[in-house]
């Protein structure tokens, strides 16, 4: 095995900050070639989910919300955190779609897995494709959520992607994959 495939040795780890939305760890690591990196920073997050949800009549269920990091209001797929009490990422994705949009049911499958940043993030984003979803309840938003639900056509989704209006890379990637696979 060449050195590029060997894992790094962790000499020590220290938590610098622990909070629900930001946990930072500093590792002292030794590379396979013997070089040391005494301060390699890791962001620990729980796994995330997002869902391409398509209604029975072919509309895509999107949310629109303000994102303070980039100070913009964005179109996004329904997404969220895998909670400890959720038995699987699929359960998390179904819960998030229902809470944020009021949509549910349909046929679900895992579509792809992505890493937000494999060099510094510990989590995986599980992307799902849910077809034939329908409105089954009202939204059940958390106190920290303020978002609106939008039903978009495939042409509108593609236009948003082409304009760069879907800013979240973990959402743009599965949408582009969906468009490519469906020859659109």
């Amino acid at each position: 095995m060449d050195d590029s495939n060997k894992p790094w040795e962790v000499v020590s780890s220290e938590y610098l900050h622990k909070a629900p939305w930001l946990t930072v760890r500093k590792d002292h690591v030794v590379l396979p070639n013997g070089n040391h990196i005494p301060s390699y920073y890791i962001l620990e997050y729980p796994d995330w989910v997002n869902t391409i949800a398509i209604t029975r009549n072919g509309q895509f269920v999107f949310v629109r919300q303000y994102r303070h990091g980039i100070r913009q209001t964005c179109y996004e797929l329904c997404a969220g955190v895998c909670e400890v009490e959720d038995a699987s990422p699929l359960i998390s994705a179904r819960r998030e779609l229902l809470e944020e949009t009021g949509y549910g049911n349909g046929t679900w499958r895992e579509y792809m897995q992505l890493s937000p940043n494999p060099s510094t993030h510990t989590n995986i984003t599980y992307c799902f494709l849910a077809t034939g979803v329908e409105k089954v309840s009202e939204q059940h938003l958390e106190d920290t959520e303020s978002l609106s639900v939008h039903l978009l056509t495939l042409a509108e989704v593609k236009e948003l992607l082409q304009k760069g209006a879907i800013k979240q890379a973990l959402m743009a990637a599965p949408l582009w994959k969906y468009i490519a696979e469906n020859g659109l």
Side-chain angles (χ1 to χ4, degrees), residues 131-180:
T131 56
V133 299
E134 59 191 352
K135 181 87 168 168
V136 295
S137 75
E138 296 305 312
Q139 290 175 296
H140 301 284
L141 300 176
E142 297 174 17
D143 292 341
T144 58
E145 293 177 314
S146 176
L147 52 91
S148 57
V149 178
H150 299 265
L151 299 178
L152 305 175
T153 65
L154 180 57
E156 290 169 325
V157 172
K158 190 172 181 181
E159 182 180 349
L160 289 171
L161 285 165
Q162 289 172 329
K163 287 181 175 179
I166 297 174
K167 299 291 187 192
Q168 173 44 279
L170 298 170
M171 297 174 187
L175 287 165
W176 277 117
K177 178 182 176 182
Y178 181 84
I179 288 170

Side-chain angles (χ1 to χ4, degrees), residues 117-129:
N117 183 343
S119 68
T120 60
H121 289 55
T122 59
N123 64 326
I124 296 295
T125 297
Y126 294 87
C127 307
F128 290 89
L129 177 63

Side-chain angles (χ1 to χ4, degrees), residues 28-82:
H28 176 175
V29 296
V30 179
L31 281 58
N33 65 9
N35 291 337
H36 285 251
I37 303 176
S39 297
Y40 195 93
Y41 298 95
I42 301 293
L43 302 176
E44 293 184 5
Y45 289 105
D47 288 337
W48 298 331
V49 292
N50 66 40
T51 302
I52 299 173
I54 306 171
T55 65
R56 290 180 180 181
N57 64 351
Q59 293 182 299
F60 289 71
V61 182
F62 270 74
V63 296
R64 191 160 159 77
Q65 61 186 319
Y66 175 76
R67 292 304 195 182
H68 191 63
I70 62 171
R71 295 182 182 253
Q72 293 181 16
T73 300
C74 302
Y75 280 102
E76 298 180 350
L77 296 175
C78 178
V81 170
C82 290

